[in-house]
Amino acid sequence: MSQLLQVLLSGLATGSIYALVAIGFTLVWQAAQTVNFAQGEFVMLPAFFVLVAMGYFGLPFLPALLVGLVLSVLVLGVLFKKLIAEPILPHGGITLIIATMALGIFLKESVKEFYSAEAQPFPSIFPNDPIDIFGAVVSLQDLFNLAISLGVVVVLTLFLNRTRTGRCMQATAQNPAVAEILGVDVKRMILYTFLINAALAALASFLITPVYLAKFSNGETLGLIAFIAAIVGGFNQIRGALVGGLLIGVLDNLTATYVTAQYRAALPLVLLIVIIMLRPQGLMGTSEGRSV
Amino acid sequence: MKRWLRPLLLVLLLVLAIIAPLGQGNYIVYTLTSWLIFSIAAMGLNLTLGYAGQISLAQASFMAIGAYTTALLTLAGWHWVLAMPLGLILCFAVGLLLGYPALRVKGHFLAFVTLAFNTLVFLILRNEEWLTGGSYGLVGMPRPDFGLFSTMKQLPFYYFTLGITVIASLVMWGIVRSPWGRAFKALRENPVRAESLGVDTRRITLLAFAIGSVYGGLAGALITPLVQFIEPGSFGVGHSLRILLMVVVGGAGYFFGPFLGAGVVIMLPEMLRFTAGYYLIIYSALVIVMLVFVPSGLIGIGGRLREKFRPRREVRADMREGARLQ
Amino acid sequence: MYRKYLLAVTTAVLTATGAAQAQETMKLGMVAELSGPGAPAGTNWRDGIKIAVEEINADGGILQNKVELIEYDTQTDPQVSRALVQKAIDEGAFAILGTIYSGSTMVNMLVAQQNSTPQFVGSEAPSIVEKGNPFVYRTSSGAQKGVPALTAYFTDTLKAKKVGVAWVNNEFGKGGRDVFVEEMKKAGIEVIADVASEQAQTDYAADVSKLKEANPEAVFVYMNQEESARFLIEAKKQALPMPLIGEVTLTEAKVIELAGAAAEGAIAHVGVTATATDVPGIGDFAKKFEETFKRKPTHDAIKGYVGAWTTKYVTELVGEADGEAFAEKMHGLCLKAADYPKILLDTCWDENGEMSRPSFMVQVKDGAPVVIDTVPAN
């Protein structure tokens, strides 16, 4: 019994990180019509900003985190939008997708060449003391991760629904042309979207890298899981990303423990194909009509 | 272009391809053969992406299907000429099965489904050791022997591959010129309008995807005798991405784009060898810059330059050649 | 008229000097994983070789020829590695140093074999020395030598009857796991938990909990570096009680760095470790490496170093640059560290190219691996 509980709790902990990555991805897809294939690398990079700040500039951990956050928002938010998303978007969605794929490669290889090909340890924000819950062990960090993901979803949903800016962003997501006519500063809304995504990616990075260890290739698996979590959960709802992430984390652990270790990585993939076949809008998504 | 110029260029290219490997070391001939094989794979993806406007990240897995089928059969004693078609049929079937659900829905779902599929294929290849040799792979596949023409040595194998490439290109040319090909282009330019004109968009897209996959399978069937060793790691998502970039860099939707793109991707590491580990950084940065300024790829550059120096009267912007990827 | 004459003479002179110069360098082709997943191993291999080549050239080179090291990056792709070995041979390499990943070596050694080119590999998969290739030589014992040496620890020291194995699912991990299971069967020990995990896996909760449920007396852990570290962290978190024993990787410096306190108490059997600084040769090498590259060497660096120096020693024993004669000399050769100091430990090669060398049992104490036992060569 305690094994089941252990596996469930660990799955939720891992899943809450997937959720954070998936949320940003969903947001950018919806609000800026950008499918960001470099999302995984966006989560890999901020940790390295922190390591550089600590290693080369000698900053202590917390200020380094702040520096990492600011740099991420600048590079992955502003620069990404101005240099890549904005110029390429007029050429079409597919071109932009491919550009993000190339961007992913660029970020990954740059970290590998200019920092290191080997994994690096990364300090965790919260202590890692294990906590015993009915025989299952979780760390304080795990509980915080879960709390933070839930918190982010709540805050973001409130922001989008209750504030004026949030509603403008939603309008931009639903129909940019009409939103512009109605006086919404569409360009600015899109900028906000990218900034929020960059901040979320940085947050996810700081929470996950202590476990993942800072490595240039972290983006590969994380990115794939994020896409699947977003689609399975429902890509037009923020809650969908949360549900998708948690679901995948838990199911992955359950599969590995009780079914098969060798094919555990196949589960999210099969889930994706099944969902697309049966319920393409995702578990929590609402089906969309398409404008002509 | 003048009427006679185009066929002349083609003949010139063919002659170049025939004399290129003469007098070169084994390594160069091997690289050229590799280029031809990846051109075939890129050609298939070009049909899916450039002409039908769908992103597929599974081209490497179709290469895997073709490669493993050919390997298992040739190791069991079958001749390559019999083994290869089976691989192609398998790829076609799998392509249809895979594309059908993904293309039911609008949007970029095929990209994710193919991404998932590629990873799945990798897992199966690695885990099912009894069939595929697992992580250890399959080794020692023979090169085809045609009686008086054996392809064991590097040079004859190159010409054999060249022959197959030419045939494959002719078939592709035929497809693109046929009514199907025109339906593909209509689909790419404006799917809604195409549908309103009676083009069954789902069926056509599915067909493009399946045919593209078959080309991937053909490339895989050629990789097996070339390298004489295959293992799951050579057919991962990273390789699918590489082939996709070949198509984009060369020029999606142009007939010769794949050749140019494959050439660039395979030759670039050679030319940039002095940059050691940096070449991927340079390459990806160049791709991004290219997509910002010349999204129609390297072939598109020629058109752009021509426009600058001899601008023609703009008749209808939406009839321009090359993919306007939506 | 004079111009033509002058041209002919100049060309002749230049060619002669060119040819003479060509005779004076001996090329070594280093084909290794400098990018891709194998980059950490390959870059260490290369750096160990660089130190060796520097020392060899300071010592007069090989047969009075300066050694020229040419690097080829396989990108951890077996097909690329095959092409590059061919390229290295085309460009005149006398010997090939590389590759490390067993998947790549299995492919590219065919090319070296076809060209009668000696090849020193860093791979440890058993099958490499079972293919009847007389030109391939190891720079560290394969898993089929290393793991049996470890078996004695399970039977004699631990006296275990039920064990578990946690392994990474690639050709490296599978090779080691297969040999281990075989050895356990021979020793009459039951393997009650067989836990496979993925390369680049990050969540080991399921794996550790499975081991906890099965509760073996000891666990054999055979994974790559990061995976080992993450596994150790999770094992500590869930308080996995039994001893964790590995082969080579588990107690490497990198693993200890990544796992931190969780690595405490881990045991491993190592062929050669950069931390066995009691052995003078190893101590010197580690110091030089750290001074030059500002980081500690791994066992891959030592492998490369040994490979390069063995090339020099054996070529000079043979007396000329002949691949066939090299192969004949290598088979059954034993080099004692007293006579050939740069070989670091007494080493023997058998007729398949497999290496035999004394090895060590180490345990992590206070964040560093400490030698707790030596194992004679088998």
Side-chain angles (χ1 to χ4, degrees):
Chain A
M1 188 53 210
S2 67
Q3 187 187 31
L4 179 61
L5 192 59
Q6 174 73 63
V7 165
L8 276 174
L9 288 177
S10 297
L12 284 175
T14 318
S16 57
I17 307 280
Y18 296 155
L20 274 180
V21 185
I23 291 173
F25 174 73
T26 306
L27 204 60
V28 169
W29 188 353
Q30 284 299 292
Q33 288 81 47
T34 309
V35 177
N36 180 16
F37 261 85
Q39 186 74 356
E41 277 73 26
F42 275 30
V43 176
M44 177 270 296
L45 196 56
F48 283 96
F49 287 148
V50 173
L51 285 178
V52 168
M54 285 184 5
Y56 285 125
F57 297 106
L59 289 175
F61 186 48
L62 287 177
L65 280 182
L66 205 61
V67 168
L69 181 63
V70 168
L71 268 178
S72 306
V73 168
L74 278 175
V75 172
L76 303 175
V78 177
L79 281 184
F80 176 55
K81 174 187 182 278
K82 281 228 135 27
L83 293 181
I84 297 182
E86 224 174 71
I88 299 188
L89 208 50
H91 294 315
I94 292 194
T95 316
L96 186 52
I97 292 181
I98 296 177
T100 58
M101 289 179 188
L103 179 65
I105 297 179
F106 178 76
L107 292 175
K108 187 169 86 171
E109 293 295 319
S110 301
V111 168
K112 195 188 83 180
E113 278 308 311
F114 296 121
Y115 197 83
S116 169
E118 297 186 317
Q120 312 291 328
F122 191 84
S124 48
I125 304 181
F126 304 107
N128 264 321
D129 308 330
I131 301 178
D132 196 309
I133 303 183
F134 296 116
V137 180
V138 287
S139 72
L140 210 57
Q141 177 84 49
D142 292 337
L143 292 177
F144 268 109
N145 289 349
L146 199 50
I148 290 179
S149 309
L150 285 167
V152 163
V153 170
V154 168
V155 166
L156 213 50
T157 315
L158 283 175
F159 171 72
L160 286 175
N161 288 333
R162 299 285 172 85
T163 67
R164 199 195 155 90
T165 320
R167 282 204 289 260
C168 288
M169 282 173 69
Q170 285 201 56
T172 314
Q174 282 168 20
N175 196 328
V178 173
E180 192 149 16
I181 294 176
L182 290 176
V184 170
D185 188 341
V186 165
K187 280 217 147 115
R188 178 167 289 201
M189 291 306 124
I190 294 186
L191 179 65
Y192 288 167
T193 312
F194 281 104
L195 293 181
I196 295 179
N197 181 33
L200 282 177
L203 182 62
S205 186
F206 301 151
L207 292 178
I208 205 176
T209 312
V211 175
Y212 271 44
L213 307 168
K215 190 165 186 204
F216 69 92
S217 55
N218 278 350
E220 289 165 19
T221 26
L222 261 180
L224 180 58
I225 302 271
F227 308 147
I228 298 181
I231 295 178
V232 164
F235 61 86
N236 50 19
Q237 294 274 341
I238 305 261
R239 292 175 286 211
L242 180 67
V243 166
L246 292 177
L247 189 65
I248 291 186
V250 169
L251 282 180
D252 172 54
N253 269 358
L254 284 175
T255 315
T257 313
Y258 296 112
V259 184
T260 160
Q262 306 224 18
Y263 273 110
R264 79 189 280 178
L267 178 77
L269 311 170
V270 170
L271 199 59
L272 177 74
I273 297 181
V274 165
I275 289 281
I276 288 190
M277 277 207 289
L278 299 178
R279 200 189 149 89
Q281 69 269 32
L283 291 172
M284 309 226 28
T286 51
S287 34
E288 297 186 328
R290 209 173 52 93
S291 59
V292 176
Chain B
M1 248 200 180
K2 302 268 194 293
R3 298 231 82 180
W4 48 265
L5 197 57
R6 210 166 206 187
L8 182 66
L9 270 177
L10 284 172
V11 170
L12 212 64
L13 282 171
L14 200 59
V15 167
L16 216 68
I18 295 179
I19 59 174
L22 293 173
Q24 302 284 357
N26 269 336
Y27 175 69
I28 304 262
V29 181
Y30 182 86
T31 312
L32 285 172
T33 320
S34 197
W35 165 63
L36 284 177
I37 294 180
F38 276 98
S39 301
I40 297 180
M43 235 197 302
L45 189 56
N46 195 18
L47 188 66
T48 309
L49 176 68
Y51 289 100
Q54 286 292 331
I55 293 187
S56 162
L57 284 171
Q59 197 69 341
S61 53
F62 287 109
M63 280 181 75
I65 295 177
Y68 272 89
T69 315
T70 315
L72 288 169
L73 290 174
T74 49
L75 280 175
W78 289 41
H79 194 279
W80 186 89
V81 174
L82 295 173
M84 182 263 288
L86 273 179
L88 298 188
I89 294 174
L90 195 57
C91 285
F92 190 73
V94 172
L96 285 179
L97 276 173
L98 191 63
Y100 181 70
L103 294 170
R104 271 178 32 188
V105 205
K106 304 296 178 187
H108 300 298
F109 280 110
L110 190 66
F112 296 111
V113 170
T114 50
L115 182 58
F117 177 68
N118 200 330
T119 319
L120 206 54
V121 167
F122 170 79
L123 282 174
I124 297 177
L125 289 175
R126 187 202 60 189
N127 291 339
E128 300 310 313
E129 210 183 314
W130 57 274
L131 182 65
T132 63
S135 302
Y136 303 122
L138 295 172
V139 68
M141 283 74 76
R143 290 196 178 161
D145 191 340
F146 295 104
L148 20 97
F149 178 67
S150 161
T151 57
M152 270 309 286
K153 296 247 159 207
Q154 204 59 49
L155 200 58
F157 190 77
Y158 170 80
Y159 287 123
F160 165 65
T161 312
L162 184 60
I164 303 260
T165 311
V166 169
I167 297 176
S169 311
L170 287 173
V171 171
M172 178 62 73
W173 184 248
I175 294 178
V176 168
R177 301 294 254 173
S178 72
W180 280 349
R182 286 198 282 268
F184 290 153
K185 279 198 217 156
L187 180 62
R188 177 188 73 205
E189 298 299 322
N190 193 325
V192 180
R193 200 187 290 165
E195 191 145 15
S196 72
L197 287 172
V199 174
D200 188 338
T201 46
R202 253 177 45 202
R203 182 127 70 91
I204 289 290
T205 317
L206 195 55
L207 202 59
F209 180 60
I211 297 178
S213 314
V214 166
Y215 271 77
L218 181 60
L222 285 168
I223 277 267
T224 297
L226 174 68
V227 191
Q228 297 179 293
F229 170 82
I230 50 174
E231 49 100 42
S234 313
F235 302 106
V237 174
H239 292 268
S240 285
L241 199 50
R242 226 171 131 221
I243 302 178
L244 182 70
L245 287 179
M246 281 180 200
V247 175
V248 170
V249 164
Y254 290 96
F255 190 78
F256 285 103
F259 290 93
L260 192 53
V264 170
V265 172
I266 295 194
M267 303 300 178
L268 201 68
E270 299 298 317
M271 297 190 296
L272 291 184
R273 207 154 271 285
F274 63 91
T275 55
Y278 299 101
Y279 93 86
L280 265 178
I281 300 179
I282 298 175
Y283 173 59
S284 51
L286 282 178
V287 170
I288 296 178
V289 167
M290 195 196 77
L291 287 174
V292 170
F293 294 109
V294 195
S296 41
L298 289 174
I299 290 197
I301 292 183
R304 284 276 193 109
L305 286 174
R306 210 168 359 119
E307 290 277 309
K308 280 209 143 208
F309 294 115
R310 286 199 312 163
R312 287 182 293 183
R313 238 181 54 200
E314 193 74 51
V315 178
R316 295 203 46 186
D318 58 356
M319 295 293 278
R320 223 177 281 158
E321 214 223 320
R324 288 265 247 96
L325 303 172
Q326 282 309 314
Chain C
M1 207 244 320
Y2 281 115
R3 271 179 75 191
K4 266 202 215 164
Y5 194 58
L6 199 59
L7 194 61
V9 170
T10 332
T11 320
V13 170
L14 282 175
T15 326
T17 30
Q21 273 187 335
Q23 272 173 353
E24 279 178 21
T25 63
M26 174 170 277
K27 293 197 174 115
L28 291 183
M30 191 215 67
V31 181
E33 297 78 0
L34 300 176
S35 63
T43 44
N44 273 295
W45 168 270
R46 172 198 61 190
D47 292 342
I49 293 179
K50 276 192 175 159
I51 294 200
V53 168
E54 208 185 290
E55 289 179 354
I56 292 176
N57 280 336
D59 202 36
I62 301 182
L63 296 173
Q64 307 312 311
N65 293 331
K66 197 154 120 60
V67 172
E68 190 186 334
L69 184 72
I70 312 185
E71 294 178 22
Y72 300 91
D73 177 8
T74 70
Q75 300 168 47
T76 321
D77 184 319
Q79 293 175 7
V80 174
S81 77
R82 181 193 198 273
L84 288 176
V85 168
Q86 179 71 70
K87 183 170 194 202
I89 294 176
D90 282 353
E91 291 180 353
F94 164 63
I96 303 279
L97 298 170
T99 40
I100 301 176
Y101 269 47
S102 305
S104 296
T105 307
M106 286 293 294
V107 188
N108 61 49
M109 70 176 190
L110 297 171
V111 178
Q113 182 179 5
Q114 281 162 7
N115 287 277
S116 301
T117 306
Q119 182 181 11
F120 282 90
V121 302
S123 311
E124 282 157 20
S127 36
I128 287 172
V129 292
E130 290 166 1
K131 298 286 180 185
N133 177 356
F135 296 97
V136 71
Y137 317 107
R138 291 231 214 244
T139 52
S140 62
S141 295
Q144 84 276 35
K145 270 222 176 277
V147 175
L150 179 59
T151 311
Y153 192 78
F154 278 91
T155 48
D156 304 337
T157 316
L158 290 175
K159 302 203 183 4
K161 286 272 155 236
K162 293 179 190 289
V163 298
V165 54
W167 52 287
V168 66
N169 200 342
N170 53 21
E171 82 276 334
F172 163 78
K174 189 141 208 312
R177 173 247 176 220
D178 287 345
V179 178
F180 179 75
V181 167
E182 191 58 39
E183 287 294 315
M184 288 297 109
K185 201 154 63 164
K186 280 199 277 191
I189 302 179
E190 200 189 335
V191 178
I192 57 173
D194 189 335
V195 178
S197 53
E198 299 289 319
Q199 193 161 14
Q201 184 173 312
T202 49
D203 185 353
Y204 283 85
D207 309 76
V208 172
S209 95
K210 276 195 279 194
L211 286 169
K212 223 173 162 186
E213 274 297 293
N215 204 20
E217 294 167 70
V219 178
F220 176 59
V221 182
Y222 201 61
M223 304 172 186
N224 299 107
Q225 289 177 339
E226 286 129 39
E227 292 77 5
S228 299
R230 294 190 194 114
F231 177 83
L232 287 173
I233 293 177
E234 185 67 28
K236 174 140 196 268
K237 183 169 154 190
Q238 289 194 37
L240 200 59
M242 69 282 308
L244 303 173
I245 302 159
E247 167 73 19
V248 180
T249 329
L250 196 63
T251 55
E252 265 178 8
K254 193 67 192 175
V255 174
I256 299 176
E257 185 194 338
L258 294 174
E264 200 67 16
I267 302 172
H269 170 245
V270 294
V272 64
T273 164
T275 55
T277 42
D278 302 336
V279 180
I282 298 182
D284 289 339
F285 170 74
K287 209 162 79 146
K288 201 183 259 184
F289 191 95
E290 204 164 346
E291 276 166 13
T292 320
F293 296 109
K294 309 283 182 289
R295 66 176 201 276
K296 289 193 163 49
T298 65
H299 70 295
D300 292 305
I302 298 188
K303 284 196 253 183
Y305 184 80
V306 166
W309 267 103
T310 311
T311 313
K312 169 173 159 89
Y313 285 144
V314 177
T315 315
E316 296 196 334
L317 279 175
V318 169
E320 55 172 339
D322 181 342
E324 299 271 347
F326 193 101
E328 261 198 64
K329 195 83 189 135
M330 276 301 288
H331 295 144
L333 176 69
C334 278
L335 294 176
K336 285 213 172 317
D339 307 322
Y340 300 93
K342 297 298 182 178
I343 208 90
L344 304 180
L345 293 163
D346 297 345
T347 313
C348 292
W349 283 270
D350 66 12
E351 65 285 351
N352 292 324
E354 181 59 73
M355 176 193 265
S356 222
R357 197 163 54 179
S359 47
F360 309 88
M361 292 297 296
V362 300
Q363 181 168 32
V364 179
K365 293 192 178 142
D366 290 327
V370 168
V371 176
I372 54 176
D373 207 357
T374 33
V375 182
N378 57 341

